[in-house]
Amino acid sequence: MSVSPEGGGPQRDVPPPLDPAGTETAPLDVVVVTGLSGSGKNTVGRVLEDLGYYVVDNLPPALLQPMVELGARGDLRRFAAIVDVRSRAFSSDLQESIGALASAGHRPRVLYVHARDEVLIRRYESNRREHPLQGSGRLIDGIAAERALLTGVAGDADLWVDTSDLNVHQLRATLENAFAREGQAPPLTATVLSFGFKYGLPLDADLVVDARFLPNPHWVPELRPRTGQDPDVRDYVLGQEDAGPFLDRYVDVLRLLIPGYRREGKRYLTLAVGCTGGKHRSVAIAEEFARRLGLDGVQAVAQHRDLGRE
């Protein structure tokens, strides 16, 4: 069976089927989706399915390698498995299975999906489901136990996705930016994330930039109701005396860092740009960082975590 996105034709990177009786297998692009219960792993699975992955939900870690090897003997080139605490004592087994896949020549990537505690609690309360590790205790106890159990897997993940403030369309855009590569090994992908310091630091940021040294458009009456995506606000922020030199020098720093990240096998970079409320300065600076990185050949997308919260 040839796997292709919904409504599309056969994948161009699918080779002729291998002999099922033989021992030769072709390497697969494997994505292991794991993370916190209630964080949106099933939604992630549906997006990957639309991107042409064959997705299996609630796969025990011990069956990960046999499933991949079976798919590799046919015409399957992209495989994704959702693995989580529904498979008890899965953490060490999962890490061993991922290592075995890499040793066999496949391309396993771990996607860790998470969200803030208060968001997870709200989601569970809205659908009135019980957390798989809650037992006879409180919901927050189950969430804390799961975070502790996932520590090792989270630390080894290739990509973290925090769904706390993402809607379905933003989540899809994030995953498409990371995985829609037609089987090619993806280059470094940068997410430039604006945020407001008063709402807290992004947990998945690799680098944090503080834009609060620039004058705040909030104190300009005609700019206050607008955002950093508005041309007048953007021109006001980028037109400040220090804005240009700051952007030039920080992009120079990124040009130094990015080749090193690539050499170390890092595929995803999150650059967080903060101001007070995440409405004006950080938005304009994040958009400009993404534009400049794109000119340097980096696949960069700007996202705005706190835009619209004020």
Side-chain angles (χ1 to χ4, degrees):
M1 178 182 66
S2 177
V3 180
S4 63
E6 182 177 350
Q11 287 182 249
R12 293 188 294 272
D13 57 357
V14 174
L18 299 174
D19 180 3
T23 58
E24 181 186 2
T25 60
L28 257 66
D29 181 9
V30 180
V31 177
V32 178
V33 181
T34 189
L36 297 172
S37 302
S39 61
K41 297 187 296 297
N42 289 332
T43 301
V44 169
R46 288 192 291 270
V47 174
L48 290 176
E49 199 166 39
D50 290 342
L51 293 176
Y53 284 84
Y54 183 86
V55 181
V56 177
D57 184 22
N58 195 20
L59 183 69
L63 296 182
L64 181 58
Q65 186 170 6
M67 284 289 293
V68 169
E69 298 294 344
L70 180 63
R73 294 187 181 280
D75 59 4
L76 189 65
R77 296 275 66 82
R78 295 179 180 180
F79 177 82
I82 301 174
V83 184
D84 53 38
V85 296
R86 288 174 292 175
S87 299
R88 304 295 181 176
F90 83 102
S91 181
S92 59
D93 290 343
L94 176 58
Q95 290 171 295
E96 290 176 5
S97 297
I98 292 170
L101 286 174
S103 299
H106 299 289
R107 300 184 294 269
R109 289 176 285 172
V110 178
L111 169 58
Y112 182 77
V113 190
H114 67 113
R116 298 191 299 272
D117 285 356
E118 63 269 22
V119 175
L120 295 174
I121 291 173
R122 185 170 64 248
R123 290 173 181 173
Y124 267 99
E125 288 179 344
S126 66
N127 60 32
R128 301 189 179 184
R129 296 187 62 192
E130 183 179 289
H131 190 280
L133 297 185
Q134 182 175 349
S136 58
R138 299 164 56 211
L139 174 57
I140 191 63
D141 296 330
I143 294 172
E146 187 174 33
R147 283 195 190 277
L149 182 63
L150 289 167
T151 300
V153 175
D156 292 337
D158 296 285
L159 173 63
W160 280 41
V161 175
D162 185 344
T163 65
S164 300
D165 303 298
L166 295 182
N167 60 36
V168 173
H169 303 294
Q170 292 169 328
L171 177 59
R172 175 175 291 275
T174 298
L175 296 173
E176 287 177 347
N177 191 51
F179 294 108
R181 311 285 183 212
E182 295 189 354
Q184 302 288 325
L188 181 72
T189 299
T191 299
V192 188
L193 180 69
S194 73
F195 72 96
F197 276 98
K198 70 180 183 179
Y199 300 115
L201 290 170
L203 295 177
D204 54 347
D206 298 295
L207 301 167
V208 177
V209 175
D210 188 349
R212 290 177 295 183
F213 71 96
L214 295 169
N216 193 348
H218 176 83
W219 304 114
V220 181
E222 60 269 26
L223 299 181
R224 180 179 300 177
R226 304 180 188 180
T227 75
Q229 293 178 314
D230 185 280
D232 289 341
V233 176
R234 180 193 62 218
D235 293 345
Y236 176 87
V237 172
L238 300 184
Q240 297 301 317
E241 181 180 358
D242 296 333
F246 163 73
L247 285 162
D248 292 340
R249 293 176 187 178
Y250 206 92
V251 169
D252 285 341
V253 171
L254 292 174
R255 288 177 180 143
L256 175 67
L257 295 177
I258 286 172
Y261 284 147
R262 284 176 173 147
R263 285 194 302 269
E264 293 300 312
K266 186 174 180 63
R267 295 172 178 169
Y268 310 99
L269 170 69
T270 299
L271 170 62
V273 183
C275 64
T276 303
K279 180 179 180 181
H280 297 115
R281 293 167 290 182
S282 63
V283 172
I285 294 294
E287 294 276 357
E288 181 63 13
F289 268 132
R291 186 188 72 82
R292 293 191 181 204
L293 288 171
L295 293 176
D296 278 359
V298 177
Q299 298 189 20
V301 59
Q303 294 183 1
H304 308 295
R305 190 192 74 177
D306 298 325
L307 197 60
R309 294 186 70 166
E310 288 191 341

